[in-house]
Amino acid sequence: MENNKNNNVRNILIASGVAAATAIVAGAVHHIIAKSLMNVAVDRKEPKAMAKSKEKIMGSGELSAIMGTVMDAAKKLEETEHETVEIESFDSTRLVGHWFPCEGAKRVIVAMHGWRSAWSQDFGIICDFWHRNGCSVLYAEQRGQGNSGGEYMGFGLLERHDCLEWTKWVIENTDDSLPVYLCGLSMGATTVLMTSGFDLPERVHGVMADSAFTSPHGIWKHVVQDNLHLPYSIYSGAASGIYKKKLKIDSKEYSCPEALKSCSVPVLFIHGTDDSFVPVTHTYENYKACRSEKRLLVVPGADHCLSYLVDRDSYEAVSLKFWNDFDERIPVIEDEPETAE
């Protein structure tokens, strides 16, 4: 009887040990996968495997032709005469921008590009429309990308501070009468939406966000679950820890919906229905959270950041209407308390 009891205990201990070892191995594997995913997400250096995947994707017919048009426009924008400027952000990171003044300007745009992209690539197609309609533009190079400093991309949490610094630069270096608009594409759109939560200078008359996601975890969850078909709940904790260790900030510290609840300027939201990278539902969520005046353009059939190419007429019309309505926007100033005579 005693022997059976001992055997049972031994078997339980062995089973527990196996279970514990399995859990440890599984946890280690999950951490390794999470680390790899976060390296792709935030590290300046692009993994070789990702670069090769891009090459294969761009080799496909229709997308290859679109990218050819985009890259031709990017080259043209880069070669157009302009001023390259530098500033320091809140954490002393050196930021590089490209200043394109417009003669007889009606307004100024601060343009923020997307994740693993470039200022000229994201805005080369639309820059002529902006210039024709009296927009001086500051094209920023996002931290952790291009010629700007920083080893990591913050998915909007750090970049919102950079955008605010660029806004201050524009205000200091342009005519006081010109309204300023913050414009972004993809992660750049998330950046300008998060920036809207600050107490913005009065000259900022609006925000234009094309293909924004809601938050770092919002886009990571979609990519991991829907594109990679992995259970995000297993990796979210490790992802948060790795992000915080790299960037010294909590990945859940802020979001677009949170910023938009305190936004005081008009916002134009734009998104394509067929966006396979950032689902249009993210813009619906952002739009719903926005407490200020807002407009929405949803372009049927447009994939990620391709709304302007798919429906240029609607895109230009809604942009012009937005400027015409808000260029002369008078900031709301609280009444001063009456004083007794």
Side-chain angles (χ1 to χ4, degrees):
M1 189 73 163
E2 190 65 33
N3 286 337
N4 288 337
K5 204 180 280 188
N6 290 337
N7 287 337
N8 289 338
V9 170
R10 185 181 63 182
N11 289 337
I12 290 171
L13 290 173
I14 291 173
S16 298
V18 171
T22 301
I24 291 169
V25 171
V29 170
H30 294 155
H31 185 82
I32 291 169
I33 293 174
K35 185 176 181 181
S36 297
L37 292 172
M38 292 311 296
N39 288 346
V40 171
V42 304
D43 285 8
R44 172 186 284 274
K45 188 175 181 181
E46 184 177 72
K48 292 181 180 179
M50 185 175 179
K52 289 180 180 178
S53 297
K54 278 185 179 178
E55 289 176 8
K56 290 181 180 179
I57 291 170
M58 298 316 169
S60 60
E62 185 178 356
L63 188 54
S64 179
I66 291 173
M67 286 309 299
T69 301
V70 168
M71 297 314 292
D72 287 345
K75 184 179 179 182
K76 181 182 176 183
L77 179 58
E78 289 172 6
E79 293 175 349
T80 301
E81 185 178 352
H82 67 278
E83 179 185 359
T84 299
V85 297
E86 294 186 11
I87 62 171
E88 275 196 2
S89 192
F90 72 104
D91 59 355
S92 299
T93 298
R94 183 182 66 89
L95 303 175
V96 175
H98 303 269
W99 174 239
F100 287 73
C102 178
E103 188 175 350
K106 299 177 182 178
R107 64 193 66 85
V108 185
I109 288 175
V110 177
M112 309 297 291
H113 70 77
W115 177 77
R116 295 205 181 279
S117 189
W119 65 280
S120 56
Q121 183 174 318
D122 278 2
F123 301 111
I125 294 291
I126 202 171
C127 66
D128 286 341
F129 165 68
W130 284 350
H131 186 78
R132 287 195 314 271
N133 288 279
C135 302
S136 291
V137 186
L138 184 285
Y139 298 98
E141 293 199 45
Q142 294 266 43
R143 66 169 55 223
Q145 303 188 64
N147 295 302
S148 284
E151 292 305 311
Y152 305 110
M153 293 165 277
F155 278 71
L157 296 184
L158 294 179
E159 291 83 353
R160 62 191 166 118
H161 298 282
D162 302 339
C163 184
L164 185 61
E165 292 303 318
W166 281 121
T167 302
K168 292 175 183 177
W169 182 91
V170 160
I171 288 173
E172 290 170 2
N173 290 275
T174 58
D175 191 293
D176 288 344
S177 66
L178 295 176
V180 176
Y181 292 89
L182 312 182
C183 299
L185 201 66
S186 190
M187 190 184 80
T190 296
T191 296
V192 297
L193 290 181
M194 287 189 180
T195 307
S196 75
F198 288 118
D199 184 13
L200 296 173
E202 288 184 359
R203 277 183 59 193
V204 177
H205 283 208
V207 173
M208 304 169 77
D210 183 339
S211 308
F213 49 84
T214 54
S215 65
H217 277 278
I219 186 60
W220 298 342
K221 182 177 181 180
H222 166 70
V223 171
V224 171
Q225 284 191 177
D226 300 323
N227 291 357
L228 300 179
H229 306 294
L230 296 171
Y232 182 66
S233 58
I234 293 177
Y235 305 107
S236 61
S240 294
I242 294 166
Y243 180 98
K244 189 170 186 177
K245 184 177 180 180
K246 287 176 180 282
L247 285 87
K248 314 303 180 189
I249 187 173
D250 193 325
S251 56
K252 294 183 179 179
E253 180 175 301
Y254 207 51
S255 68
C256 289
E258 187 176 349
L260 289 162
K261 288 175 183 177
S262 58
C263 175
S264 61
V265 299
V267 182
L268 171 60
F269 298 90
I270 300 173
H271 216 118
T273 60
D274 291 9
D275 194 328
S276 54
F277 186 60
V278 181
V280 68
T281 51
H282 282 240
T283 279
Y284 290 143
E285 187 175 340
N286 289 333
Y287 180 84
K288 184 178 180 181
C290 184
R291 300 290 175 82
S292 62
E293 295 180 79
K294 54 191 175 183
R295 308 281 171 82
L296 175 65
L297 173 65
V298 175
V299 179
D303 205 330
H304 190 57
C305 298
L306 295 181
S307 292
Y308 187 68
L309 284 170
V310 170
D311 191 352
R312 186 169 303 204
D313 290 343
S314 294
Y315 201 113
E316 292 185 354
V318 75
S319 298
L320 289 171
K321 182 73 165 57
F322 191 70
W323 294 331
N324 289 337
D325 287 349
F326 301 116
D327 275 353
E328 303 300 325
R329 183 179 73 91
I330 301 174
V332 177
I333 303 174
E334 292 183 7
D335 293 333
E336 293 185 5
E338 294 183 3
T339 56
E341 294 183 1

